[in-house]
Amino acid sequence: GDYQGIQFIKRLRVLEDTVKQKAEIAAYFTRFDEAEQLYRDIDRKDLALDLRIKLGDWFRVLHIAQSGVGGQDILQQAFNEIGNYYADRTRWGPAAQNFAKAGNVTALINAYYLNEDFAGLKALIPELPPESPLLITIGNHFTAVGQCEEAVSAFIRYGDTKAAVDACVLLNNWDVAVQLAEQHEFPQIEGLLSKYAKHLLGKNKKLEACQLFRRAERHAEAAKLLVEVAEGQMPG
């Protein structure tokens, strides 16, 4: 404690301005609002800003930075730290607002998802560059909540047809899966069509399954099913 006190007195002696000395003393005795006001009185908002940054008081940092002190980097840092403050308290709405202002897209995606703000999440898809792996994160989030169209939109923007098709299959959206596979010349399309046909057979939709086997060029299975369908329609 004595050592700190001695160092503090040495630092005070260097300061020629008495107001600065008073501000340093106020801060030393944890009277931070008083210290900030003293810095403001001598038009040294930069020192007030430094004080608040050292204290990690990001709400005050933001307040001072918004008056034109400290530059864009400090503003972004303040928004990000305030976003973290709200995220730590699971207040995802205000967390998302601050992460958006900070330009922290990774944290923003997480906050939107946990706040169930799917409109916000969807709006990010066209804004992200096609090479951004965050599109995969968004696609996985939409798959997890059963929103197939949005998941497909994110995966396709990233150029991952397989992930889009897998999401459709997982969510039993077979028509879209087949459509995507055909549109994007998906190499495993025959296997996909056969899986879909088996899915239809499980629901006793033999004619639809037969058409899929034909599209998959599995003619033997298609013919066998046609016979079954014809026999089923013959009068007993």
Side-chain angles (χ1 to χ4, degrees):
D2 285 353
Y3 174 75
Q4 279 184 320
I6 291 162
Q7 291 302 108
F8 176 65
I9 289 163
K10 279 183 185 173
R11 204 162 69 242
L12 276 186
R13 280 180 184 155
V14 176
L15 296 173
E16 291 166 11
D17 191 308
T18 52
V19 180
K20 273 191 201 171
Q21 285 180 340
K22 282 180 185 174
E24 286 282 329
I25 291 164
Y28 185 76
F29 289 105
T30 68
R31 299 196 305 271
F32 302 120
D33 291 347
E34 184 188 326
E36 182 186 323
Q37 192 53 55
L38 285 161
Y39 285 136
R40 284 171 173 276
D41 289 344
I42 56 167
D43 203 26
R44 289 301 304 269
K45 283 186 185 174
D46 58 320
L47 294 175
L49 185 72
D50 289 345
L51 171 69
R52 293 301 181 181
I53 290 170
K54 275 180 203 157
L55 294 171
D57 185 346
W58 293 102
F59 287 92
R60 288 301 301 164
V61 169
L62 181 62
H63 181 75
I64 298 165
Q66 283 176 325
S67 68
V69 185
Q72 192 59 31
D73 287 352
I74 295 292
L75 260 180
Q76 278 189 306
Q77 190 183 357
F79 280 126
N80 199 52
E81 293 293 349
I82 291 168
N84 287 330
Y85 168 88
Y86 285 122
D88 289 345
R89 287 153 183 79
T90 63
R91 292 181 61 192
W92 299 112
Q97 287 167 9
N98 283 281
F99 287 139
K101 287 173 184 171
N104 185 345
V105 185
T106 305
L108 177 60
I109 288 168
N110 191 47
Y112 275 156
Y113 179 61
L114 292 168
N115 200 40
E116 297 181 7
D117 182 353
F118 300 122
L121 206 53
K122 183 181 178 180
L124 288 175
I125 297 171
E127 287 180 19
L128 286 167
E131 66 276 7
S132 172
L134 291 174
L135 287 162
I136 294 290
T137 306
I138 292 175
N140 289 335
H141 282 332
F142 276 123
T143 305
V145 294
Q147 295 195 23
C148 190
E149 187 185 334
E150 290 80 0
V152 165
S153 173
F155 290 135
I156 292 297
R157 180 156 176 78
Y158 186 66
D160 194 340
T161 307
K162 185 180 185 308
V165 169
D166 286 348
C168 291
V169 170
L170 188 69
L171 299 172
N172 269 329
N173 207 330
W174 289 91
D175 289 339
V176 180
V178 170
Q179 195 182 339
L180 279 171
E182 288 177 337
Q183 269 174 7
H184 297 272
E185 297 178 355
F186 188 54
Q188 294 102 351
I189 188 161
E190 286 82 7
L192 177 69
L193 290 168
S194 298
K195 267 189 201 169
Y196 186 16
K198 282 168 188 164
H199 169 78
L200 288 170
L201 281 175
K203 295 188 167 189
N204 210 27
K205 293 185 174 178
K206 290 182 180 176
L207 199 57
E208 292 93 329
C210 170
Q211 287 166 345
L212 279 174
F213 277 133
R214 283 173 66 188
R215 273 163 82 179
E217 297 186 3
R218 292 179 63 170
H219 300 297
E221 282 100 326
K224 181 169 170 273
L225 273 179
L226 266 182
V227 171
E228 284 180 25
V229 169
E231 283 175 353
Q233 289 175 349
M234 286 169 70

